[in-house]
Amino acid sequence: MDMNFRTLTERITDDEAAYEFLELLRWDGQPLCPHCGSTEQHYFLTPKAADGRKTRTGAVTVRRLWKCRSCRKQFSVLTGTIMHGTKISIRTWVLVIYSMCSSKNGVASREIERDYGLTPRSAWFMIQRIREAMLREDDLPFLAGEVESDETWIGPRQRNVHRNHYANKTPVLTLIDRGTGEARSGLMPRVTAETLAAALTEQMAPEAVLMTDGNRGYQTVGATFSEHHRVNHEIKEYARTVRGKDKQKRRAGVNRCEGFFSQLKGSLDGTFHHVSVEHLNRYLAEFDYRYSTRKQSDAQRMANLVGRVGGRRITYDALTGR
Ligand SMILES: [Zn+2]
């Protein structure tokens, strides 16, 4: 499905069109009962105007409800998604999700308020729900290829800082698997050999090849992986060719992490002026998600996201509690 924001707004003129669009995206046109997993024999409960729910602004919204012939339960394409039970129009959800999936730097709450006539509270809530769906799944496989690891400090820009450059800044660690293109970021309480070791062994398999800069904190944990290659930024070395155990040439360096950080910081400076530490984690999840899925089309990324809640793909098992 080829689309951009303009064609999407033209196509999705109202809530009903938004439902149909989501049904196509999630079900490819064939409704799937989230209660029992049946894909057959559903019937559509025609929405009557009288059934429509009134939104805060008084507009009547339409729900496209299906009824499962197997288990007799009702469902819609929103059942079990981040949009379940929302009072915000589905058209708005679709457009905001698209914006967050496709914009390189994310979207600011204020833009959403203005563009869709939402209260600050509603706009903020939507963004949090969407970020929650972008959270990393907690049972992901270990990163096992060539993995770059690097840290950066996020926080208010300080003028005339003479003494402690890192005061009021929060360290962020990012791992990027070069093979799969996947990024995994997290806040660190402090950057020490111990915290680095804990973070890396939690995400990386022993057979992985670790790429870092000259930070000595990586020395001990680096030895636990198949290979560890470093570049020395202090002598302005950013990449060099090394030989692996298998005699293959590899490129040592952390350029991908640096690219990731520069985009992250550019976005924090431009769009987001104040990001508290508690929200930074979700914000990192949003960045990781966009980075890790950057080879997908906007439609693929959106379909994937809509089917996730709190960093978990919605599976039939999860929904039915099996
Ligand atoms: Zn069913």
Side-chain angles (χ1 to χ4, degrees):
M1 198 186 312
D2 196 29
M3 62 185 184
N4 57 43
F5 193 73
R6 191 180 55 80
T7 58
L8 196 67
T9 49
E10 281 168 7
R11 172 179 182 156
I12 300 174
T13 49
D14 55 19
D15 271 7
E16 187 158 18
Y19 268 94
E20 284 170 1
F21 174 75
L22 288 171
E23 287 179 2
L24 186 68
L25 215 55
R26 288 197 70 202
W27 294 336
D28 200 14
Q30 187 182 34
L32 167 76
C33 172
H35 307 294
C36 74
S38 161
T39 52
E40 285 165 287
Q41 298 188 321
H42 304 301
Y43 57 90
F44 180 54
L45 304 173
T46 319
K48 297 185 206 98
D51 281 347
R53 296 168 301 167
K54 285 228 165 107
T55 63
R56 193 178 48 80
T57 54
V60 175
T61 61
V62 171
R63 276 194 297 174
R64 277 174 61 90
L65 276 181
W66 296 84
K67 185 164 181 170
C68 177
R69 277 198 214 263
S70 298
C71 73
R72 318 293 297 166
K73 288 181 181 156
Q74 292 185 2
F75 62 93
S76 83
V77 72
L78 309 183
T79 304
T81 71
I82 51 169
M83 293 168 277
H84 194 132
T86 183
K87 290 193 170 67
I88 300 165
S89 118
I90 303 308
R91 177 176 191 268
T92 301
W93 273 101
V94 169
L95 297 179
V96 172
I97 290 173
Y98 180 83
S99 300
M100 285 182 69
C101 281
S102 59
S103 123
K104 277 201 167 46
N105 294 319
V107 292
S109 200
R110 250 173 290 120
E111 288 171 43
I112 309 245
E113 285 170 48
R114 189 195 57 210
D115 294 353
Y116 301 101
L118 296 175
T119 62
R121 194 185 158 83
S122 294
W124 183 87
F125 174 76
M126 276 183 101
I127 291 177
Q128 296 307 315
R129 289 300 288 270
I130 296 167
R131 282 194 190 138
E132 195 177 298
M134 289 174 167
L135 281 173
R136 184 161 73 227
E137 289 170 82
D138 35 355
D139 45 3
L140 288 173
F142 289 115
L143 303 174
E146 287 183 17
V147 179
E148 294 186 11
S149 176
D150 201 10
E151 327 84 53
T152 192
W153 274 257
I154 302 282
R157 181 172 285 163
Q158 290 157 302
R159 287 184 188 281
N160 306 317
V161 176
H162 300 298
R163 280 173 301 181
N164 191 355
H165 175 66
Y166 299 118
N168 301 321
K169 293 196 186 241
T170 307
V172 168
L173 177 78
T174 294
L175 304 178
I176 296 181
D177 185 314
R178 290 179 178 174
T180 62
E182 190 186 342
R184 298 186 190 175
S185 305
L187 298 180
M188 300 201 93
R190 287 164 303 130
V191 180
T192 64
E194 288 73 30
T195 59
L196 287 171
L200 265 54
T201 48
E202 191 180 290
Q203 302 292 340
M204 291 171 60
E207 65 266 32
V209 172
L210 176 65
M211 303 290 187
T212 66
D213 62 16
N215 182 343
R216 288 179 175 276
Y218 284 111
Q219 218 157 0
T220 312
V221 67
T224 67
F225 297 109
S226 161
E227 295 170 34
H228 177 201
H229 303 288
R230 282 176 284 187
V231 288
N232 188 351
H233 286 175
E234 279 167 23
I235 56 163
K236 300 227 181 324
E237 177 187 65
Y238 294 98
R240 69 190 165 95
T241 302
V242 294
R243 289 246 179 227
K245 279 184 177 166
D246 54 5
K247 308 284 181 235
Q248 294 295 308
K249 282 185 182 172
R250 309 194 197 288
R251 206 68 186 142
V254 289
N255 290 339
R256 287 177 207 213
C257 287
E258 277 164 11
F260 182 91
F261 292 146
S262 78
Q263 197 159 46
L264 177 70
K265 288 180 170 178
S267 159
L268 284 166
D269 279 352
T271 329
F272 304 82
H273 298 287
H274 306 286
V275 177
S276 64
V277 168
E278 61 188 294
H279 295 135
L280 192 53
N281 249 329
R282 284 181 173 201
Y283 186 67
L284 290 173
E286 180 184 345
F287 248 82
D288 280 355
Y289 184 76
R290 268 198 306 265
Y291 188 90
S292 302
T293 59
R294 70 198 180 288
K295 295 211 171 111
Q296 295 177 9
S297 72
D298 290 335
Q300 277 177 314
R301 196 181 299 122
M302 224 178 140
N304 185 337
L305 183 76
V306 168
R308 289 165 56 127
V309 175
R312 289 188 168 275
R313 274 186 203 96
I314 298 168
T315 60
Y316 161 63
D317 284 355
L319 282 171
T320 53
R322 286 185 209 187

